[in-house]
Amino acid sequence: MQNYFQPEIECASPEAIRKIQDERLVKTVKRLYDNVPYYKKKMDDKGVAPADIKSINDLKKLPFITKADLRDAYPYGLLAVPLHDCVRIHSTSGTTGKRVIAFYTQHDLDLWSDCCARSIVAAGGTKDDVIHVGYGYGLFTGGMGINGGSHRVGCLTLPVSSGNTERQIQFMTDLGSTILCCTPSYAEYLAETINEMGIKDQIKLKAGIFGAEAWSEEMRQHLEESLGIKAYDIYGLTEIIGPGVSFDCSEQTGMHINEDHFIAEIINPDTGEVLPEGSKGELVFSCIDKEAFPLLRYRTRDICVLSREKCSCGRTLIKMAKPMGRSDDMLIIRGVNVFPSQIETVLLGYGLSANYQIIVDRVNHSDTLEVAVEMNPEMFSDTVKEIENREKILMEKLKNMLGIAAKVTLRAPKSMTRSEGKAVRVIDKRKI
Ligand code: DLL
């Protein structure tokens, strides 16, 4: 039995969802204005009062919140409840400055579990499943978030966390894991190891729920084939709640956003202007049902497209396309915008592995782009001439995709570091 499908919300009419959003937004704005001096100041500076926000039509009147605001207000400045009402924190990795800390009340954790439960059920999960959680546990939201959803659905939950690949596979075979949850790059590593060990027939996996980093359709196809599963995408960010902000359904053509909790907008990242549905731009989220840390109009920096097209799964929740990547991951090379996911599409489309690295440098005042990628074991027996030929073909394909030249180096199988969490794909030597 799929015991966490909530058709009254997930399949509600757009008008019914609108009504929930209107009510919750108005309440949240008032609560923040009254309780969070940082918000009050931001709204006062923009000349907007709580009474000006009567429905989601007025959302655009509110100021944006950016990562810089979170750093300014660190650690308690955006907390909207007394600290003694909070029961948990999570945090971003803080590679580029101060960590961001997100606070949760019990209500927030329950809401989050609901979101993740919806994601698991949409991937075919039921209480008969064994969920293998290979996302990191700890400050990172991945492990604990999916864990909460898995309990909510009633699955047997294996909190394996990331790393120790052999132990992961041992549990997978001994306990018959049916749904694997981890980053797509770690799933690639697990798939590679399982196939090398020749034990694919001992694995009972039927589905994967992969997210926390950008991954291409080609990678989805590769994971589905190499693990014999259906691979579902899941999206989220610490600032908003963690995994489960949106999730793939059986149609796999975009992730349904949990709109009863989060309102999505797409804006022009340069001007802040709200763009019509179907436009590509920066994704912005407002949390309308959280207690402790409900950010309004938070700029995610993820580049994405929203669509309300009818979905064959029956859900009416708006869908977001696979994010192309973060605007801050976007490389500007010789004036051209390049997303790592475009490069991944070319490499995997050619049948190569997802073990690749993008190296950008500046030589004689000009940017250079090099893509190093591992060959498949079958290609390794190619002659030098054949390998050079493959490199030439790939350079041509990359030029067509990106509009600029890239050098391609095919490396020996197993020569590049595997990722156990979020993969680091880009080395930008211009910044070193
Ligand atoms: O990565 C939360 C998460 C955990 C999502 C597990 C899914 C599964 P952060 O560490 O705060 O939170 O990183 C958030 O990761 O803004 C995106 O740039 C990226 N991201 C997350 N999910 C996806 C996805 C978690 N499915 C940042 N596709 C976000 C593309 C994703 N990018």
Side-chain angles (χ1 to χ4, degrees), residues 51 89 100 202 224 266 394 397 428:
I89 67 146
V100 167
Q202 293 173 40
E224 291 194 336
I266 291 285
L394 281 163
K397 285 185 185 291
D428 193 341

Side-chain angles (χ1 to χ4, degrees), residues 2 6 92 98 106 206 253 309 314 395:
Q2 298 205 337
Q6 298 175 311
T92 58
K98 243 186 220 160
Q106 188 57 51
K206 63 174 190 187
T253 53
E309 264 173 40
M395 285 190 236

Side-chain angles (χ1 to χ4, degrees), residues 253-311:
T253 53
M255 292 177 273
H256 290 285
I257 296 172
N258 281 310
E259 283 185 282
D260 49 333
H261 303 307
F262 313 109
I263 303 176
E265 300 170 275
I266 291 285
I267 62 162
N268 175 328
D270 299 324
T271 62
E273 177 205 356
V274 179
L275 301 177
E277 187 198 313
S279 318
K280 185 161 84 181
E282 180 180 346
L283 192 53
V284 171
F285 279 111
S286 297
C287 305
I288 49 170
D289 196 23
K290 276 173 60 186
E291 290 178 343
F293 198 68
L295 300 183
L296 291 176
R297 303 201 87 201
Y298 181 65
R299 293 187 57 161
T300 64
R301 296 190 275 192
D302 289 321
I303 303 297
C304 196
V305 178
L306 295 177
S307 154
R308 245 193 223 286
E309 264 173 40
K310 199 167 177 322
C311 184

Side-chain angles (χ1 to χ4, degrees), residues 24-42:
R24 290 184 172 173
L25 175 69
V26 169
K27 253 198 214 159
T28 305
V29 170
K30 179 156 177 15
R31 199 163 65 81
L32 290 183
Y33 191 84
D34 291 344
N35 293 303
V36 184
Y38 194 93
Y39 259 109
K40 180 175 185 308
K41 180 165 185 322
K42 281 212 86 142

Side-chain angles (χ1 to χ4, degrees), residues 30 34 55 71 108 130 133 152 172 191 222 266 290 371:
K30 179 156 177 15
D34 291 344
S55 74
R71 291 196 177 125
D108 298 334
V130 179
V133 189
R152 193 57 52 109
M172 220 179 258
H222 189 251
I266 291 285
K290 276 173 60 186
V371 179

Side-chain angles (χ1 to χ4, degrees), residues 320-345:
M320 56 180 268
K322 255 182 175 311
M324 289 189 70
R326 300 173 69 84
S327 52
D328 35 1
D329 285 345
M330 185 183 82
L331 297 159
I332 303 181
I333 301 171
R334 278 171 258 140
V336 175
N337 297 350
V338 172
F339 279 98
S341 56
Q342 294 174 294
I343 296 177
E344 183 177 294
T345 295

